[in-house]
Amino acid sequence: MSAIAVQLPDDVTAAREGILAFAEQEIIPRHDANRTLFEDPRALYREDGRFSDALLALIREVRTASAAAGFYQMCVPESLGGGGLGHLAYYVAWEALFHRCGPQNWLMLYVLSHWAFGPSRMLTQVTPEAQERILAGLMNGTRSMCFGLSEPNAGSDAAMIRTRARRDGDGWRISGRKIWTSNAPVADYCVVFAVTDAQRAAARRGGISAFLVPVDAPGFSVQRVIKLFGHVGGDEAELALEDVYVEPWQVVGELDQGFGAALYGVSLGRIYNSARAVGYGRWALELALDYANTREAFGSSIGEFQGVSFPLAESATELHAAHLMGINAATLLDQGSQAIKELSMTKAYSVQVGYRAVDRAMQTHGAMGFTNELGLTEAWHALRIVNVADGTNEILNRTIAQRLLKGDVSL
Ligand SMILES: Cc1cc2nc3c(=O)[nH]c(=O)nc-3n(C[C@H](O)[C@H](O)[C@H](O)COP(=O)(O)OP(=O)(O)OC[C@H]3O[C@@H](n4cnc5c(N)ncnc54)[C@H](O)[C@@H]3O)c2cc1C
């Protein structure tokens, strides 16, 4: 019996089943075949912390195979050459992939285009000339991009960015620094946010623009790869821009209104991370239930002890609620609403309960919970991080409270 009364549209369930079948055929066997590579961190990363050539080749294989099968770009609008599925399909497919593949089969991260790294609805905001230049490579999975908003002195309060774009003839020259930019060590293009009108930016009335910058543009450089806990390399980087010249075709969205583009991207990120948290949480819960049924202590299976089973029951309840919230928020986006409050509630709640579900699964496993072979620690790391990335829990609460105080009390 399904626990969910809400009927998903047929095209969404078909997309979910199709992408899961693709993962069964293309992802899990690739992990099995490349176990030696995946178990050796020195083979996964280069000296400077970037992904190794062997890993990049596998990522490209997955992206291009998925693009050829029509999954990679399935949530990109048809006007851009994609499959035209919406936010609900994006949520449902990501949740299913994380649930089925768990943290060990992580090449699944490249089966469906991540909004910041590959083609997405965001690209409707780039100029026709930019589409002409970059779309084909992004859609077929041979090229990727990144999203450079955060800076050393501007995180939650992104309006504090100091990167400047000065007018130079018909174009601009961009100078500044970016940090935490995911996929930047290997990306081909970066969407860079910069102040174009200092007065308006200081008054927080626009004045910030987004530009599409090829990473081989003179003056653009990756300063260092940032290594997050437990890894000898990484996918986040610190960037420097020194007088990088950009032309009008490179403006993303409207000039001086770059936050519009940023907000939409961040919404997609929140859907993705909510799905990731629920998917990993369900994967961890099922692992814990199996263990609770088989591990014995004091003359019975440990699942017989309420100290073990009640936390799992709480996780199931929380994940069920988070799943329904995710379906609801994604449906609101598909209906054309910005769903700012609902998406903030969904992301903040999902990442906390997903993280807690993984933590409880570790506790259920005792010492086994900390071994590399189970992968629980990887899921725990990943979900701890998304309590900060794409809007911290505190900033999401701030957004929810602001909406409530302005009278948006619909729940
Ligand atoms: C793995 C990872 C990947 C990332 N990828 C990208 C990327 O691709 N592109 C990009 O542009 N950025 C990226 N980021 C950056 C991310 O968007 C920021 O980390 C996030 O916005 C928070 O900013 P901060 O880390 O500077 O924290 P700060 O803004 O310095 O906040 C520090 C603490 O203060 C709290 N705080 C701040 N203001 C308030 C307030 N008003 N009320 C209550 N609490 C408050 C925060 O919640 C936090 O706990 C990434 C981050 C991570 C960890």
Side-chain angles (χ1 to χ4, degrees):
M1 191 203 84
S2 169
I4 307 294
V6 182
Q7 279 282 321
L8 294 176
D10 289 346
D11 57 351
V12 172
T13 49
R16 180 188 63 201
E17 297 315 310
I19 212 163
L20 281 178
F22 180 87
E24 295 287 350
Q25 282 162 21
E26 300 284 343
I27 300 303
I28 294 166
R30 260 194 186 81
H31 273 273
D32 291 342
N34 292 282
R35 212 166 281 285
T36 325
L37 171 70
F38 289 119
E39 282 173 3
D40 179 1
R42 305 256 162 232
L44 281 181
Y45 296 102
R46 291 188 221 161
E47 278 288 307
D48 65 1
R50 284 179 160 91
F51 291 166
S52 67
D53 290 344
L55 177 56
L56 283 174
L58 280 172
I59 291 173
R60 180 187 265 243
E61 268 177 41
V62 170
R63 278 191 173 133
T64 52
S66 183
F71 294 118
Y72 184 63
Q73 70 286 41
M74 71 182 193
C75 295
V76 177
E78 283 172 348
S79 60
L80 297 175
L85 289 170
H87 302 86
L88 181 60
Y90 196 63
Y91 178 85
V92 167
W94 274 123
E95 194 205 298
L97 284 170
F98 280 109
H99 180 191
R100 168 65 189 93
C101 296
Q104 297 105 327
N105 299 300
W106 51 269
L107 281 174
M108 51 65 69
L109 293 171
Y110 304 96
V111 170
L112 182 55
S113 169
H114 180 281
W115 71 273
F117 313 155
S120 79
R121 210 163 278 264
M122 266 266 295
L123 293 180
T124 54
Q125 304 195 40
V126 306
T127 61
E129 184 174 346
Q131 287 184 11
E132 182 74 27
R133 291 186 188 216
I134 68 166
L135 204 52
L138 288 172
M139 293 290 277
N140 67 23
T142 56
R143 299 274 181 274
S144 69
M145 53 195 278
C146 59
F147 181 84
L149 176 61
S150 303
E151 298 187 359
N153 293 305
S156 302
D157 188 0
M160 287 174 66
I161 62 170
R162 292 184 187 165
T163 296
R164 294 274 181 276
R166 284 179 290 106
R167 267 285 180 192
D168 184 2
D170 285 344
W172 295 262
R173 290 207 175 266
I174 308 179
S175 296
R177 296 185 94 81
K178 296 289 169 186
I179 195 166
W180 311 121
T181 321
S182 299
N183 197 48
V186 295
D188 300 281
Y189 316 101
C190 182
V191 176
V192 174
F193 290 82
V195 174
T196 34
D197 182 331
Q199 272 189 338
R200 285 178 67 182
R204 296 181 179 243
R205 293 215 178 90
I208 290 175
S209 305
F211 298 94
L212 181 75
V213 181
V215 301
D216 58 2
F220 186 102
S221 61
V222 173
Q223 293 285 289
R224 70 181 175 106
V225 175
I226 303 169
K227 299 169 186 174
L228 299 180
F229 54 3
H231 295 282
V232 298
D235 199 22
E236 275 70 42
E238 189 169 348
L239 307 174
L241 294 101
E242 277 163 33
D243 281 337
V244 176
Y245 187 65
V246 286
E247 297 176 358
W249 68 266
Q250 290 167 272
V251 175
V252 181
E254 273 183 60
L255 191 69
D256 290 327
Q257 300 295 334
F259 270 163
L263 262 179
Y264 182 65
V266 168
S267 294
L268 290 172
R270 290 178 182 171
I271 284 285
Y272 165 79
N273 278 317
S274 301
R276 183 183 195 186
V278 175
Y280 271 170
R282 291 178 68 180
W283 165 83
L285 173 64
E286 287 167 20
L287 208 62
L289 290 168
D290 280 348
Y291 197 71
N293 271 328
T294 50
R295 176 75 175 171
E296 297 200 341
F298 301 99
S300 63
S301 62
I302 59 170
E304 294 294 320
F305 306 127
Q306 292 178 348
V308 172
S309 62
F310 278 18
L312 303 182
E314 282 173 29
S315 280
T317 310
E318 292 168 352
L319 291 167
H320 182 62
H323 173 75
L324 289 169
M325 288 171 83
I327 286 177
N328 183 62
T331 305
L332 285 172
L333 290 178
D334 280 342
Q335 290 171 355
S337 160
Q338 285 189 304
I340 293 172
K341 171 168 108 296
E342 295 72 23
L343 201 48
S344 301
M345 294 194 299
T346 302
K347 196 261 179 176
Y349 186 72
S350 302
V351 299
Q352 289 174 75
V353 304
Y355 174 67
R356 199 150 55 218
V358 174
D359 192 63
R360 285 172 174 152
M362 287 164 85
Q363 192 70 14
T364 305
H365 280 85
M368 274 303 288
F370 310 120
T371 58
N372 286 339
E373 70 214 68
L374 286 188
L376 283 163
T377 51
E378 272 127 305
W380 191 73
H381 281 171
L383 295 187
R384 183 64 192 85
I385 288 172
V386 291
N387 278 259
V388 166
D390 273 331
T392 67
N393 297 341
E394 295 78 18
I395 291 303
L396 295 170
N397 272 339
R398 179 176 183 264
T399 305
I400 298 162
Q402 282 173 342
R403 304 291 295 192
L404 292 169
L405 290 166
K406 282 188 182 147
D408 175 6
V409 290
S410 166
L411 293 175

